[in-house]
Amino acid sequence: MATIRGFKALRPTQDLAKEVSSVPYDVIYADEVREEIQRNPHSFLRVTRPDGEYKSNESPAEQELLETARVNLSQMIATGVLVQDQDDSIYVYRLSSGAHSQTGIVACCSVEEYESEIIKRHEKTRPDKVEDRTRHLLALEAQTGLVFLAFRDNQTVSRLIAETINDQPLYDLTAPDGVRHTIWRASKPGEFISAFKSVPEIYIADGHHRVESARLAKTKLSESSVHHNGDEEYNYLIAGIFPSSDLKILPYNRAVKNLNTLSGEQFWQKVEANFIVVASGEKNPKTKGNICVYFKGAWKTISPKVKTDSDPINSLDVSLLQNMILSPILGIHDPRTDERIQFIGGARGTVELERLVDTGTCAIAFSMFPTTMEELFAVSDIGEIMPPKSTWFEPKLRDGLLIHSIQ
């Protein structure tokens, strides 16, 4: 059963919350970070992306970057931009974008339960990215962004959330991308903690590298502590935890730089051996099992002639593309390392796919049907790993609104 607990959040004052809050560190380009920091000196990107403090032609050493992040966080605390709650709290967090709304809680989860697979994963992590975030976490002695977790709906948790959102919110702000972020402090944290004892498992939706970094930091800190007892803050990680029925997965599309020495005619001949190809003009597949392909200014829809495997992994559309086109036809055997492939998050839409192909940056692009939450659960439940970039969750949680100090 899942364990959650409250924490003393380090958070911005109400009047500065909108300025402080920022996009996650890994969804923004370096030049965009610099522009945002210059425009808004309160941006939490100064903590999560200290490289934005430097000019594009400067290459500061990693230790200097970490020190810059640490100093920036300390200054935000010293000047009262960030304040720390005095009591352990659990928070309710709602994101609204257009007609879509999702409401969950923010609490601390047990790193040990990640190690014992009560918190389940579905992606591999890159050791270099994990090490980078671990060094950042240890330098700041704080978890600066929320892991995004999901759970199967629970009536008691839903009732508690519904009761909490009738209270006055701590924050109610609309980010530059139009997403509204509303956060309440739960008046009955103990009831939330009890309710989650009936939640059998929690799933990582987004943030595998943050979770693995928390695990590595816990290992290092526990080994260096002579008084380690398992209750220290570094044994827990901060997360936004949402009921699965609220969540929206967008497609994670692909674009490939070249056809691997094939002509266009040769490529389509190979595809037609296993797929029905229709010059549909459609940019987004309407059903699972269909893939829309953009090549030389035209959209075609392809669907396999034979029913795909019922295996939870091989039945994924991203696996279908990888196993039947990217690897055997285009020679992309390891999409994690092959530089010929680009992954385009669904928020950028098919406009970005067309731009990549039309400008000659890529030769061909693939528009995917989104992975479902049930597919994510099925893969996670058998302890397996999805192909890279199988899911894109939108809207994104903001960094800087709720921070977890680990010391």
Side-chain angles (χ1 to χ4, degrees), residues 337-356:
T337 59
D338 199 310
E339 295 182 355
R340 293 169 52 221
I341 189 170
Q342 292 188 29
F343 299 95
I344 299 92
R348 294 183 180 268
T350 54
V351 171
E352 178 66 5
L353 298 183
E354 292 175 337
R355 186 193 70 80
L356 288 170

Side-chain angles (χ1 to χ4, degrees), residues 22-28 44-45 47-49 109-111 114 119 121 123-138 140 142-149 204-218 234 236-240 396-404 406:
S22 70
V23 297
Y25 75 94
D26 55 352
V27 300
I28 186 169
F44 201 66
L45 287 170
V47 174
T48 58
R49 287 290 300 273
C109 297
S110 167
V111 176
Y114 166 65
I119 299 175
R121 63 175 185 163
E123 284 185 7
K124 287 184 177 179
T125 53
R126 285 175 44 186
D128 57 333
K129 289 185 66 176
V130 172
E131 287 283 355
D132 174 74
R133 280 296 103 183
T134 302
R135 289 190 289 267
H136 186 269
L137 193 163
L138 292 173
L140 272 62
Q143 296 162 355
T144 56
L146 303 179
V147 177
F148 184 10
L149 303 179
I204 303 173
D206 197 9
H208 286 77
H209 288 90
R210 295 188 195 227
V211 181
E212 188 62 19
S213 297
R215 184 199 65 78
L216 187 56
K218 172 213 164 191
Y234 59 71
Y236 296 85
L237 61 95
I238 184 175
K396 299 289 186 185
L397 308 173
R398 300 287 279 182
D399 280 359
L401 290 174
L402 296 168
I403 303 152
H404 178 222
I406 62 169

Side-chain angles (χ1 to χ4, degrees), residues 61-262:
E62 180 188 38
Q63 204 56 42
E64 182 179 348
L65 287 173
L66 292 175
E67 179 62 14
T68 298
R70 189 194 66 76
V71 169
N72 287 344
L73 179 61
S74 297
Q75 287 179 343
M76 295 177 87
I77 296 171
T79 57
V81 173
L82 297 175
V83 295
Q84 187 152 34
D85 284 342
Q86 297 303 304
D87 300 315
D88 286 338
S89 301
I90 287 174
Y91 306 84
V92 169
Y93 188 163
R94 182 174 65 198
L95 300 91
S96 304
S97 177
H100 174 75
S101 178
Q102 61 190 59
T103 310
I105 71 164
V106 177
C108 278
C109 297
S110 167
V111 176
E112 183 179 348
E113 290 187 355
Y114 166 65
E115 295 169 328
S116 64
E117 299 184 356
I118 292 174
I119 299 175
K120 297 177 180 289
R121 63 175 185 163
H122 67 268
E123 284 185 7
K124 287 184 177 179
T125 53
R126 285 175 44 186
D128 57 333
K129 289 185 66 176
V130 172
E131 287 283 355
D132 174 74
R133 280 296 103 183
T134 302
R135 289 190 289 267
H136 186 269
L137 193 163
L138 292 173
L140 272 62
E141 298 183 338
Q143 296 162 355
T144 56
L146 303 179
V147 177
F148 184 10
L149 303 179
F151 64 98
R152 290 187 172 92
D153 290 32
N154 177 283
Q155 288 185 351
T156 304
V157 176
S158 296
R159 175 180 59 80
L160 292 170
I161 289 174
E163 292 174 358
T164 302
I165 62 176
N166 288 323
D167 298 335
Q168 185 71 20
L170 291 175
Y171 305 123
D172 190 359
L173 59 93
T174 300
D177 60 3
V179 178
R180 184 179 178 184
H181 301 258
T182 313
I183 296 177
W184 297 260
R185 182 190 285 112
S187 61
K188 302 175 181 177
E191 292 190 23
F192 275 101
I193 292 170
S194 296
F196 265 85
K197 291 179 181 178
S198 64
V199 174
E201 56 266 319
I202 302 176
Y203 300 81
I204 303 173
D206 197 9
H208 286 77
H209 288 90
R210 295 188 195 227
V211 181
E212 188 62 19
S213 297
R215 184 199 65 78
L216 187 56
K218 172 213 164 191
T219 299
K220 292 183 177 182
L221 290 171
S222 63
E223 289 175 349
S224 64
S225 173
V226 295
H227 301 295
H228 172 76
N229 60 26
D231 196 47
E232 299 87 352
E233 290 299 324
Y234 59 71
N235 293 286
Y236 296 85
L237 61 95
I238 184 175
I241 316 168
F242 291 80
S244 60
S245 62
D246 273 13
L247 301 184
K248 179 181 180 182
I249 304 179
L250 297 182
Y252 221 139
N253 299 320
R254 276 89 163 121
V256 178
K257 291 183 179 180
N258 58 62
L259 296 184
N260 193 31
T261 74
L262 296 174

Side-chain angles (χ1 to χ4, degrees), residues 306-324:
V306 179
K307 185 178 179 180
T308 56
D309 199 317
S310 60
D311 174 83
I313 299 172
N314 289 330
S315 63
L316 296 171
D317 282 5
V318 289
S319 297
L320 172 70
L321 177 66
Q322 177 62 39
N323 297 337
M324 298 185 70

